Amino acid sequence: MPQNVRVRFAPSPTGPLHIGGVRTAFYNYLFAKKHQGQFILRIEDTDQNRLVPQSESYIQEALTWLGITPDESPQKGGEMGPYRQSERKSLYEKYALALVKAGKAYYAFDTPEELEAMRAKFKAIGQAAPQYNAISRMQMKNSLTLSQEEVSQRLKQGQPYVIRMLIDPQITIKAKDTIRGWVQVKGVNLDDKVLLKADGMATYHLANVVDDHFMQITHVIRGEEWLPSLAYHILLYEYFQWEKPEFVHLPLLLNANGKGKLSKRNTQQHDFPILPLDWQDAHTQQTLPGFKQAGYLKEALLNFIALLGWHPSHNQELFTCDELIANFSLSRISKSGACFDIDKAKWFNQ
Ligand code: GLU
């Protein structure tokens, strides 16, 4: 490993931490410890509308129970903090504006009604996303279509705007994922994503890339559901001329029969936990069960989740955490989804 390994677990505090998130955190932790690196917890709370207040403390408690201890976090602090995105707003704004200045992003003043009308037009001709792109952007109200004076005036008057990234439909973005190899995406299939929202807060894409850069993250290890974001992130690194981290997208967790993504509904039907700790829903007052309260030992749960997508070079199944650290490697993570078989978890627990 050439440089000092720095990895992060970056959950959004929008509800309880699902077992898939625990696995992501644990793989990051194992990788960091294996290479004497740092494991960072970053709270990605840019979407204030989806914030569920008790989820940040739930995440911290779950990681504490399992001993997946961050070296840097909102609670613990660290040299590259703050570690909550809501406390880093001005940084994102600065970099969004730098992209506008460099001609890689632009102001867009479209109202929700105008956006809706544009989407409806696309729908009428049978076109789904992407919609704010090279075809439509020149018919919308943005700094590419309005005169400079009008843009300055709108900004001076405090008219609401967003900043969008400008994507050239001619380009092909090549991104390397450690597990899948090279992935190619054509610019024409991408949307001019919003980077800075009307409330001045960054979106996930901008905040994630800016933070990974300034927190000196060397490996981005996250769930496969983030693979569609990769092309946007690669482009942002290129726009900023920043060195890219290595990207590792972990396989999906599937239901025990291998059919479909592991779902809350499925687990509720079969009455087994998929959360580390009990979670009480503030609205319904319903309690979703956690592995801890269901009587699972943390050692059993960690052993179980370690093998959901990763396998050692020999057929050992029972591991202590130290043995997992010693054996873990990114090259032994599989591409195909991992079946979540609760009987296996019970077996480890026994
Ligand atoms: N905030 C994202 C999440 O909730 C993080 C994705 C990433 O790791 O880049 O999972």
Side-chain angles (χ1 to χ4, degrees), residues 142-155:
N142 53 51
S143 53
L144 305 171
T145 58
L146 302 171
S147 69
Q148 238 179 32
E149 294 85 75
E150 188 162 355
V151 172
S152 318
Q153 194 150 26
R154 281 174 181 255
L155 294 176

Side-chain angles (χ1 to χ4, degrees), residues 27 67 71 79 90 93 102 122 134 137 143 147 150 152 197 210 220 236 258 286 316 318 327 330 332:
Y27 281 19
D71 299 295
E79 267 173 43
S90 55
E93 195 173 10
F122 270 92
R137 69 167 83 103
S143 53
S147 69
E150 188 162 355
S152 318
K197 295 179 279 189
V210 167
V220 169
L236 285 174
Q286 203 194 359
Q316 180 179 349
L318 295 172
N327 281 279
L330 297 178
R332 304 202 69 84

Side-chain angles (χ1 to χ4, degrees), residues 209-337:
V209 167
V210 167
D211 286 350
D212 283 344
H213 173 71
F214 284 104
M215 293 183 183
Q216 297 178 14
I217 299 302
T218 55
H219 298 74
V220 169
I221 306 173
R222 61 184 171 196
E224 189 179 307
E225 63 274 24
W226 299 102
L227 202 52
S229 300
L230 184 58
Y232 297 105
H233 296 182
I234 295 283
L235 259 186
L236 285 174
Y237 280 100
E238 287 174 3
Y239 285 1
F240 287 122
Q241 297 180 305
W242 289 341
E243 198 187 325
K244 300 175 195 91
E246 193 171 320
F247 290 96
V248 185
H249 290 86
L250 305 175
L252 289 176
L253 292 186
L254 308 175
N255 291 316
N257 59 8
K259 288 191 192 127
K261 261 169 67 173
L262 178 65
S263 68
K264 223 174 10 194
R265 220 187 55 215
N266 186 285
T267 57
Q268 276 167 350
Q269 266 168 9
H270 297 93
D271 199 28
F272 60 80
I274 52 161
L275 305 180
L277 309 175
D278 274 3
W279 167 266
Q280 191 167 29
D281 191 293
H283 294 296
T284 60
Q285 293 305 316
Q286 203 194 359
T287 301
L288 299 175
F291 277 97
K292 183 182 180 191
Q293 288 81 359
Y296 284 82
L297 299 174
K298 67 170 198 198
E299 290 81 0
L301 185 59
L302 291 178
N303 199 153
F304 170 62
I305 60 174
L307 294 169
L308 288 177
W310 169 84
H311 57 96
S313 54
H314 39 78
N315 53 13
Q316 180 179 349
E317 274 197 299
L318 295 172
F319 289 90
T320 63
C321 193
D322 284 343
E323 286 171 330
L324 287 171
I325 292 171
N327 281 279
F328 189 76
S329 86
L330 297 178
S331 61
R332 304 202 69 84
I333 296 176
S334 64
K335 245 191 276 195
S336 44

Side-chain angles (χ1 to χ4, degrees), residues 5 7-9 17 21-34 36-42 59-77 83 298 302 305 321-322 325:
V5 165
V7 291
R8 82 316 190 262
F9 175 49
L17 185 61
V22 179
R23 182 194 58 174
T24 301
F26 193 40
Y27 281 19
N28 273 283
Y29 173 85
L30 291 174
F31 185 68
K33 297 301 137 188
K34 165 128 193 191
Q36 291 87 42
Q38 277 86 44
F39 167 63
I40 292 134
L41 171 66
R42 181 173 76 224
I59 293 166
Q60 304 253 20
E61 278 162 35
L63 296 182
T64 303
W65 172 53
L66 291 164
I68 307 176
T69 314
D71 299 295
E72 298 164 31
S73 72
Q75 267 187 333
K76 198 166 177 179
Y83 296 91
K298 67 170 198 198
L302 291 178
I305 60 174
C321 193
D322 284 343
I325 292 171

Side-chain angles (χ1 to χ4, degrees), residues 182-202:
W182 287 95
V183 192
Q184 289 201 10
V185 182
K186 290 203 162 71
V188 70
N189 294 321
L190 298 177
D191 219 19
D192 286 356
K193 287 274 185 233
V194 172
L195 298 177
L196 203 75
K197 295 179 279 189
D199 63 2
M201 190 34 131

